[in-house]
Amino acid sequence: MRQATPQNLPFVFRLERAYIQDFESESLHSWQGAIDRHLEQWISNLSRMFVAESGDEVVGYYFWEVRGDEAILSSINVLPDQRRRGIGSYLLKHFETQAVKNGMTRLSLGVISHNPAKQLYEAAGYEFVHQKGDYCYYEKSPNGA
């Protein structure tokens, strides 16, 4: 695990786009139309973006944002052929550790309701708080991190 660099942004772009295509295909056109906003988001959160590596290959990443004392997991993604190997759990635990280290008192995330990653979040102790449209929102106390 290491902090991401600007050279990792094309990887992040590819996985973000693949996620949209696979899970939110109806949003692909608007997502692509907002690529400048996404790039600004990734760059402004580069200090809170980390990549997981296996050998010389980057296999996953996550980044988080801050809202007051809340750490918001903005994105977490693993290459499809590397999934179900514990990388997502490792990334999620690293996020929690970084958030606590930075003084956050609340951890949160949102996930589209049909994404199987919901099981990962629930298994890690995240509790469902509400649903808005197709998105389910979860929180976890850092004491459980």
Side-chain angles (χ1 to χ4, degrees):
M1 183 77 69
R2 67 170 171 77
Q3 190 166 352
T5 65
Q7 290 75 19
N8 297 121
L9 293 179
F11 174 82
V12 171
F13 167 77
R14 287 191 301 274
L15 258 66
E16 290 281 312
R17 184 181 57 202
Y19 165 81
I20 295 294
Q21 288 173 325
D22 293 346
F23 290 96
E24 300 183 45
S25 58
E26 69 284 350
S27 300
L28 182 60
H29 182 72
S30 62
W31 184 88
Q32 288 176 293
I35 194 62
D36 287 345
R37 184 174 53 82
H38 300 306
L39 187 56
E40 287 174 16
Q41 180 188 34
W42 301 332
I43 290 169
S44 67
N45 292 289
L46 199 56
S47 67
R48 290 182 299 277
M49 182 181 288
F50 291 83
V51 295
E53 297 175 310
S54 178
D56 293 338
E57 180 184 20
V58 175
V59 296
Y61 70 91
Y62 78 88
F63 74 93
W64 59 287
E65 298 179 83
V66 175
R67 181 174 43 211
D69 62 350
E70 179 183 12
I72 304 164
L73 181 63
S74 298
S75 186
I76 183 170
N77 210 329
V78 176
L79 286 171
D81 66 346
Q82 298 292 319
R83 292 181 183 150
R84 311 221 40 92
R85 296 182 181 185
I87 298 167
S89 295
Y90 183 69
L91 289 165
L92 186 59
K93 187 65 178 169
H94 194 269
F95 155 66
E96 294 171 357
T97 301
Q98 290 296 309
V100 168
K101 184 173 148 182
N102 283 275
M104 300 295 109
T105 61
R106 203 168 50 154
L107 308 172
S108 67
L109 59 89
V111 61
I112 196 149
S113 59
H114 59 273
N115 188 331
K118 280 177 39 179
Q119 296 170 346
L120 167 69
Y121 307 136
E122 291 168 358
Y126 285 81
E127 295 183 7
F128 175 81
V129 238
H130 70 277
Q131 185 162 346
K132 184 176 179 184
D134 288 338
Y135 272 82
C136 297
Y137 293 88
Y138 290 83
E139 289 184 358
K140 182 177 180 179
S141 165
N143 298 335

mmCIF file of all heavy atoms in Angstrom, residues 41-72:
data_model
loop_
_atom_site.group_PDB
_atom_site.id
_atom_site.type_symbol
_atom_site.label_atom_id
_atom_site.label_comp_id
_atom_site.label_asym_id
_atom_site.label_seq_id
_atom_site.Cartn_x
_atom_site.Cartn_y
_atom_site.Cartn_z
ATOM 1 N N GLN A 41 -11.601 16.562 -8.388
ATOM 2 C CA GLN A 41 -11.844 15.829 -7.141
ATOM 3 C C GLN A 41 -10.662 14.902 -6.832
ATOM 4 O O GLN A 41 -10.185 14.865 -5.704
ATOM 5 C CB GLN A 41 -13.137 15.014 -7.245
ATOM 6 C CG GLN A 41 -13.455 14.216 -5.988
ATOM 7 C CD GLN A 41 -14.630 13.279 -6.179
ATOM 8 O OE1 GLN A 41 -14.846 12.727 -7.271
ATOM 9 N NE2 GLN A 41 -15.396 13.078 -5.120
ATOM 10 N N TRP A 42 -10.199 14.172 -7.821
ATOM 11 C CA TRP A 42 -9.085 13.240 -7.595
ATOM 12 C C TRP A 42 -7.820 13.991 -7.204
ATOM 13 O O TRP A 42 -7.119 13.596 -6.284
ATOM 14 C CB TRP A 42 -8.834 12.390 -8.831
ATOM 15 C CG TRP A 42 -10.014 11.575 -9.271
ATOM 16 C CD1 TRP A 42 -11.026 11.092 -8.483
ATOM 17 C CD2 TRP A 42 -10.316 11.172 -10.589
ATOM 18 N NE1 TRP A 42 -11.937 10.410 -9.240
ATOM 19 C CE2 TRP A 42 -11.526 10.436 -10.549
ATOM 20 C CE3 TRP A 42 -9.700 11.356 -11.827
ATOM 21 C CZ2 TRP A 42 -12.112 9.875 -11.684
ATOM 22 C CZ3 TRP A 42 -10.277 10.797 -12.945
ATOM 23 C CH2 TRP A 42 -11.472 10.062 -12.870
ATOM 24 N N ILE A 43 -7.542 15.085 -7.905
ATOM 25 C CA ILE A 43 -6.326 15.855 -7.611
ATOM 26 C C ILE A 43 -6.413 16.496 -6.230
ATOM 27 O O ILE A 43 -5.451 16.454 -5.466
ATOM 28 C CB ILE A 43 -6.068 16.906 -8.713
ATOM 29 C CG1 ILE A 43 -5.659 16.198 -10.018
ATOM 30 C CG2 ILE A 43 -4.995 17.896 -8.288
ATOM 31 C CD1 ILE A 43 -5.623 17.099 -11.236
ATOM 32 N N SER A 44 -7.563 17.059 -5.904
ATOM 33 C CA SER A 44 -7.673 17.726 -4.604
ATOM 34 C C SER A 44 -7.629 16.737 -3.444
ATOM 35 O O SER A 44 -7.356 17.128 -2.308
ATOM 36 C CB SER A 44 -8.933 18.593 -4.530
ATOM 37 O OG SER A 44 -10.087 17.791 -4.551
ATOM 38 N N ASN A 45 -7.858 15.476 -3.702
ATOM 39 C CA ASN A 45 -7.814 14.455 -2.657
ATOM 40 C C ASN A 45 -6.641 13.493 -2.826
ATOM 41 O O ASN A 45 -6.623 12.424 -2.209
ATOM 42 C CB ASN A 45 -9.139 13.682 -2.625
ATOM 43 C CG ASN A 45 -10.262 14.558 -2.147
ATOM 44 O OD1 ASN A 45 -10.322 14.915 -0.977
ATOM 45 N ND2 ASN A 45 -11.133 14.947 -3.062
ATOM 46 N N LEU A 46 -5.666 13.874 -3.619
ATOM 47 C CA LEU A 46 -4.524 12.995 -3.873
ATOM 48 C C LEU A 46 -3.784 12.636 -2.581
ATOM 49 O O LEU A 46 -3.283 11.523 -2.441
ATOM 50 C CB LEU A 46 -3.575 13.646 -4.880
ATOM 51 C CG LEU A 46 -2.599 12.727 -5.601
ATOM 52 C CD1 LEU A 46 -3.327 11.599 -6.339
ATOM 53 C CD2 LEU A 46 -1.765 13.524 -6.586
ATOM 54 N N SER A 47 -3.758 13.543 -1.619
ATOM 55 C CA SER A 47 -3.088 13.242 -0.350
ATOM 56 C C SER A 47 -3.851 12.197 0.459
ATOM 57 O O SER A 47 -3.304 11.614 1.389
ATOM 58 C CB SER A 47 -2.906 14.517 0.475
ATOM 59 O OG SER A 47 -4.162 15.018 0.887
ATOM 60 N N ARG A 48 -5.118 11.950 0.090
ATOM 61 C CA ARG A 48 -5.929 10.941 0.761
ATOM 62 C C ARG A 48 -6.303 9.812 -0.200
ATOM 63 O O ARG A 48 -7.315 9.140 -0.029
ATOM 64 C CB ARG A 48 -7.185 11.582 1.357
ATOM 65 C CG ARG A 48 -6.888 12.480 2.550
ATOM 66 C CD ARG A 48 -8.145 13.062 3.154
ATOM 67 N NE ARG A 48 -8.895 13.897 2.230
ATOM 68 C CZ ARG A 48 -8.624 15.186 1.995
ATOM 69 N NH1 ARG A 48 -7.636 15.783 2.624
ATOM 70 N NH2 ARG A 48 -9.332 15.871 1.135
ATOM 71 N N MET A 49 -5.479 9.611 -1.220
ATOM 72 C CA MET A 49 -5.689 8.531 -2.180
ATOM 73 C C MET A 49 -4.540 7.538 -2.028
ATOM 74 O O MET A 49 -3.376 7.939 -2.006
ATOM 75 C CB MET A 49 -5.737 9.082 -3.613
ATOM 76 C CG MET A 49 -6.007 8.017 -4.667
ATOM 77 S SD MET A 49 -6.020 8.706 -6.361
ATOM 78 C CE MET A 49 -7.554 9.637 -6.373
ATOM 79 N N PHE A 50 -4.882 6.267 -1.921
ATOM 80 C CA PHE A 50 -3.875 5.222 -1.750
ATOM 81 C C PHE A 50 -4.114 4.121 -2.758
ATOM 82 O O PHE A 50 -5.254 3.861 -3.156
ATOM 83 C CB PHE A 50 -3.933 4.663 -0.326
ATOM 84 C CG PHE A 50 -3.478 5.648 0.703
ATOM 85 C CD1 PHE A 50 -4.352 6.605 1.200
ATOM 86 C CD2 PHE A 50 -2.168 5.647 1.153
ATOM 87 C CE1 PHE A 50 -3.936 7.542 2.138
ATOM 88 C CE2 PHE A 50 -1.736 6.581 2.089
ATOM 89 C CZ PHE A 50 -2.622 7.525 2.581
ATOM 90 N N VAL A 51 -3.028 3.476 -3.179
ATOM 91 C CA VAL A 51 -3.126 2.369 -4.119
ATOM 92 C C VAL A 51 -2.552 1.109 -3.477
ATOM 93 O O VAL A 51 -1.599 1.168 -2.694
ATOM 94 C CB VAL A 51 -2.407 2.665 -5.453
ATOM 95 C CG1 VAL A 51 -3.084 3.800 -6.195
ATOM 96 C CG2 VAL A 51 -0.941 2.960 -5.258
ATOM 97 N N ALA A 52 -3.170 -0.008 -3.821
ATOM 98 C CA ALA A 52 -2.677 -1.317 -3.395
ATOM 99 C C ALA A 52 -1.928 -1.917 -4.578
ATOM 100 O O ALA A 52 -2.382 -1.813 -5.726
ATOM 101 C CB ALA A 52 -3.837 -2.216 -2.988
ATOM 102 N N GLU A 53 -0.802 -2.517 -4.289
ATOM 103 C CA GLU A 53 0.012 -3.122 -5.337
ATOM 104 C C GLU A 53 0.206 -4.609 -5.061
ATOM 105 O O GLU A 53 0.264 -5.034 -3.911
ATOM 106 C CB GLU A 53 1.379 -2.441 -5.408
ATOM 107 C CG GLU A 53 1.292 -0.976 -5.784
ATOM 108 C CD GLU A 53 2.640 -0.278 -5.738
ATOM 109 O OE1 GLU A 53 3.341 -0.419 -4.698
ATOM 110 O OE2 GLU A 53 2.977 0.390 -6.717
ATOM 111 N N SER A 54 0.329 -5.350 -6.124
ATOM 112 C CA SER A 54 0.695 -6.760 -6.064
ATOM 113 C C SER A 54 1.870 -6.898 -7.019
ATOM 114 O O SER A 54 1.708 -6.757 -8.229
ATOM 115 C CB SER A 54 -0.468 -7.642 -6.501
ATOM 116 O OG SER A 54 -0.084 -9.001 -6.482
ATOM 117 N N GLY A 55 3.053 -7.106 -6.464
ATOM 118 C CA GLY A 55 4.256 -7.069 -7.286
ATOM 119 C C GLY A 55 4.438 -5.667 -7.822
ATOM 120 O O GLY A 55 4.379 -4.695 -7.073
ATOM 121 N N ASP A 56 4.581 -5.536 -9.121
ATOM 122 C CA ASP A 56 4.748 -4.234 -9.756
ATOM 123 C C ASP A 56 3.431 -3.657 -10.276
ATOM 124 O O ASP A 56 3.426 -2.596 -10.893
ATOM 125 C CB ASP A 56 5.731 -4.343 -10.934
ATOM 126 C CG ASP A 56 7.143 -4.653 -10.479
ATOM 127 O OD1 ASP A 56 7.459 -4.374 -9.306
ATOM 128 O OD2 ASP A 56 7.921 -5.177 -11.290
ATOM 129 N N GLU A 57 2.332 -4.341 -10.023
ATOM 130 C CA GLU A 57 1.049 -3.929 -10.589
ATOM 131 C C GLU A 57 0.161 -3.267 -9.535
ATOM 132 O O GLU A 57 0.005 -3.780 -8.420
ATOM 133 C CB GLU A 57 0.327 -5.162 -11.154
ATOM 134 C CG GLU A 57 -1.009 -4.850 -11.767
ATOM 135 C CD GLU A 57 -1.767 -6.096 -12.233
ATOM 136 O OE1 GLU A 57 -1.469 -7.210 -11.781
ATOM 137 O OE2 GLU A 57 -2.673 -5.921 -13.047
ATOM 138 N N VAL A 58 -0.432 -2.136 -9.909
ATOM 139 C CA VAL A 58 -1.449 -1.517 -9.063
ATOM 140 C C VAL A 58 -2.736 -2.308 -9.291
ATOM 141 O O VAL A 58 -3.162 -2.512 -10.427
ATOM 142 C CB VAL A 58 -1.648 -0.029 -9.418
ATOM 143 C CG1 VAL A 58 -2.791 0.565 -8.611
ATOM 144 C CG2 VAL A 58 -0.365 0.754 -9.163
ATOM 145 N N VAL A 59 -3.346 -2.770 -8.188
ATOM 146 C CA VAL A 59 -4.523 -3.633 -8.296
ATOM 147 C C VAL A 59 -5.780 -3.009 -7.711
ATOM 148 O O VAL A 59 -6.876 -3.535 -7.882
ATOM 149 C CB VAL A 59 -4.262 -5.014 -7.652
ATOM 150 C CG1 VAL A 59 -3.161 -5.760 -8.418
ATOM 151 C CG2 VAL A 59 -3.913 -4.884 -6.182
ATOM 152 N N GLY A 60 -5.620 -1.892 -7.010
ATOM 153 C CA GLY A 60 -6.790 -1.250 -6.432
ATOM 154 C C GLY A 60 -6.431 0.093 -5.833
ATOM 155 O O GLY A 60 -5.253 0.449 -5.745
ATOM 156 N N TYR A 61 -7.444 0.845 -5.439
ATOM 157 C CA TYR A 61 -7.221 2.167 -4.847
ATOM 158 C C TYR A 61 -8.436 2.548 -4.019
ATOM 159 O O TYR A 61 -9.504 1.944 -4.115
ATOM 160 C CB TYR A 61 -7.002 3.226 -5.928
ATOM 161 C CG TYR A 61 -8.256 3.517 -6.692
ATOM 162 C CD1 TYR A 61 -9.122 4.531 -6.279
ATOM 163 C CD2 TYR A 61 -8.620 2.735 -7.779
ATOM 164 C CE1 TYR A 61 -10.311 4.759 -6.950
ATOM 165 C CE2 TYR A 61 -9.800 2.953 -8.440
ATOM 166 C CZ TYR A 61 -10.646 3.959 -8.025
ATOM 167 O OH TYR A 61 -11.827 4.166 -8.661
ATOM 168 N N TYR A 62 -8.247 3.572 -3.236
ATOM 169 C CA TYR A 62 -9.360 4.242 -2.580
ATOM 170 C C TYR A 62 -8.946 5.687 -2.366
ATOM 171 O O TYR A 62 -7.765 6.019 -2.372
ATOM 172 C CB TYR A 62 -9.756 3.581 -1.249
ATOM 173 C CG TYR A 62 -8.838 3.910 -0.091
ATOM 174 C CD1 TYR A 62 -9.070 5.041 0.701
ATOM 175 C CD2 TYR A 62 -7.731 3.120 0.203
ATOM 176 C CE1 TYR A 62 -8.221 5.359 1.758
ATOM 177 C CE2 TYR A 62 -6.886 3.427 1.255
ATOM 178 C CZ TYR A 62 -7.137 4.544 2.020
ATOM 179 O OH TYR A 62 -6.298 4.862 3.054
ATOM 180 N N PHE A 63 -9.940 6.548 -2.188
ATOM 181 C CA PHE A 63 -9.662 7.900 -1.712
ATOM 182 C C PHE A 63 -10.833 8.353 -0.878
ATOM 183 O O PHE A 63 -11.944 7.848 -0.993
ATOM 184 C CB PHE A 63 -9.337 8.880 -2.849
ATOM 185 C CG PHE A 63 -10.491 9.319 -3.698
ATOM 186 C CD1 PHE A 63 -11.199 10.474 -3.400
ATOM 187 C CD2 PHE A 63 -10.842 8.597 -4.823
ATOM 188 C CE1 PHE A 63 -12.251 10.896 -4.196
ATOM 189 C CE2 PHE A 63 -11.893 9.013 -5.626
ATOM 190 C CZ PHE A 63 -12.596 10.162 -5.309
ATOM 191 N N TRP A 64 -10.524 9.282 0.006
ATOM 192 C CA TRP A 64 -11.547 9.783 0.911
ATOM 193 C C TRP A 64 -11.490 11.287 0.984
ATOM 194 O O TRP A 64 -10.493 11.904 0.657
ATOM 195 C CB TRP A 64 -11.434 9.145 2.288
ATOM 196 C CG TRP A 64 -10.144 9.329 3.022
ATOM 197 C CD1 TRP A 64 -8.942 8.727 2.756
ATOM 198 C CD2 TRP A 64 -9.917 10.148 4.172
ATOM 199 N NE1 TRP A 64 -7.998 9.123 3.668
ATOM 200 C CE2 TRP A 64 -8.568 9.984 4.550
ATOM 201 C CE3 TRP A 64 -10.725 10.990 4.924
ATOM 202 C CZ2 TRP A 64 -8.013 10.643 5.641
ATOM 203 C CZ3 TRP A 64 -10.169 11.643 6.017
ATOM 204 C CH2 TRP A 64 -8.826 11.452 6.360
ATOM 205 N N GLU A 65 -12.626 11.856 1.406
ATOM 206 C CA GLU A 65 -12.768 13.295 1.547
ATOM 207 C C GLU A 65 -13.154 13.623 2.983
ATOM 208 O O GLU A 65 -13.586 12.744 3.732
ATOM 209 C CB GLU A 65 -13.825 13.809 0.574
ATOM 210 C CG GLU A 65 -13.431 13.554 -0.880
ATOM 211 C CD GLU A 65 -14.470 14.022 -1.865
ATOM 212 O OE1 GLU A 65 -14.464 15.232 -2.176
ATOM 213 O OE2 GLU A 65 -15.286 13.197 -2.306
ATOM 214 N N VAL A 66 -12.996 14.879 3.334
ATOM 215 C CA VAL A 66 -13.290 15.345 4.687
ATOM 216 C C VAL A 66 -14.449 16.327 4.646
ATOM 217 O O VAL A 66 -14.478 17.228 3.809
ATOM 218 C CB VAL A 66 -12.045 16.037 5.299
ATOM 219 C CG1 VAL A 66 -12.368 16.645 6.649
ATOM 220 C CG2 VAL A 66 -10.883 15.060 5.396
ATOM 221 N N ARG A 67 -15.390 16.109 5.557
ATOM 222 C CA ARG A 67 -16.474 17.074 5.771
ATOM 223 C C ARG A 67 -16.567 17.249 7.290
ATOM 224 O O ARG A 67 -17.107 16.383 7.977
ATOM 225 C CB ARG A 67 -17.785 16.577 5.196
ATOM 226 C CG ARG A 67 -18.919 17.574 5.388
ATOM 227 C CD ARG A 67 -20.210 17.191 4.698
ATOM 228 N NE ARG A 67 -20.518 15.783 4.878
ATOM 229 C CZ ARG A 67 -21.169 15.045 3.981
ATOM 230 N NH1 ARG A 67 -21.564 15.557 2.846
ATOM 231 N NH2 ARG A 67 -21.424 13.768 4.223
ATOM 232 N N GLY A 68 -15.979 18.326 7.780
ATOM 233 C CA GLY A 68 -15.923 18.547 9.229
ATOM 234 C C GLY A 68 -15.087 17.459 9.888
ATOM 235 O O GLY A 68 -13.921 17.291 9.560
ATOM 236 N N ASP A 69 -15.715 16.687 10.775
ATOM 237 C CA ASP A 69 -15.009 15.597 11.447
ATOM 238 C C ASP A 69 -15.365 14.237 10.846
ATOM 239 O O ASP A 69 -15.119 13.200 11.435
ATOM 240 C CB ASP A 69 -15.323 15.603 12.948
ATOM 241 C CG ASP A 69 -16.801 15.386 13.234
ATOM 242 O OD1 ASP A 69 -17.614 15.410 12.288
ATOM 243 O OD2 ASP A 69 -17.131 15.181 14.415
ATOM 244 N N GLU A 70 -15.946 14.275 9.652
ATOM 245 C CA GLU A 70 -16.389 13.057 8.980
ATOM 246 C C GLU A 70 -15.442 12.692 7.837
ATOM 247 O O GLU A 70 -15.100 13.534 7.004
ATOM 248 C CB GLU A 70 -17.799 13.270 8.419
ATOM 249 C CG GLU A 70 -18.361 12.100 7.670
ATOM 250 C CD GLU A 70 -19.730 12.411 7.091
ATOM 251 O OE1 GLU A 70 -20.148 13.596 7.083
ATOM 252 O OE2 GLU A 70 -20.384 11.469 6.640
ATOM 253 N N ALA A 71 -15.028 11.430 7.809
ATOM 254 C CA ALA A 71 -14.238 10.888 6.700
ATOM 255 C C ALA A 71 -15.205 10.164 5.771
ATOM 256 O O ALA A 71 -15.884 9.224 6.185
ATOM 257 C CB ALA A 71 -13.180 9.922 7.216
ATOM 258 N N ILE A 72 -15.277 10.612 4.530
ATOM 259 C CA ILE A 72 -16.200 10.037 3.560
ATOM 260 C C ILE A 72 -15.392 9.226 2.552
ATOM 261 O O ILE A 72 -14.546 9.783 1.839
ATOM 262 C CB ILE A 72 -16.988 11.133 2.825
ATOM 263 C CG1 ILE A 72 -17.705 12.018 3.831
ATOM 264 C CG2 ILE A 72 -17.940 10.516 1.810
ATOM 265 C CD1 ILE A 72 -18.185 13.332 3.258
#
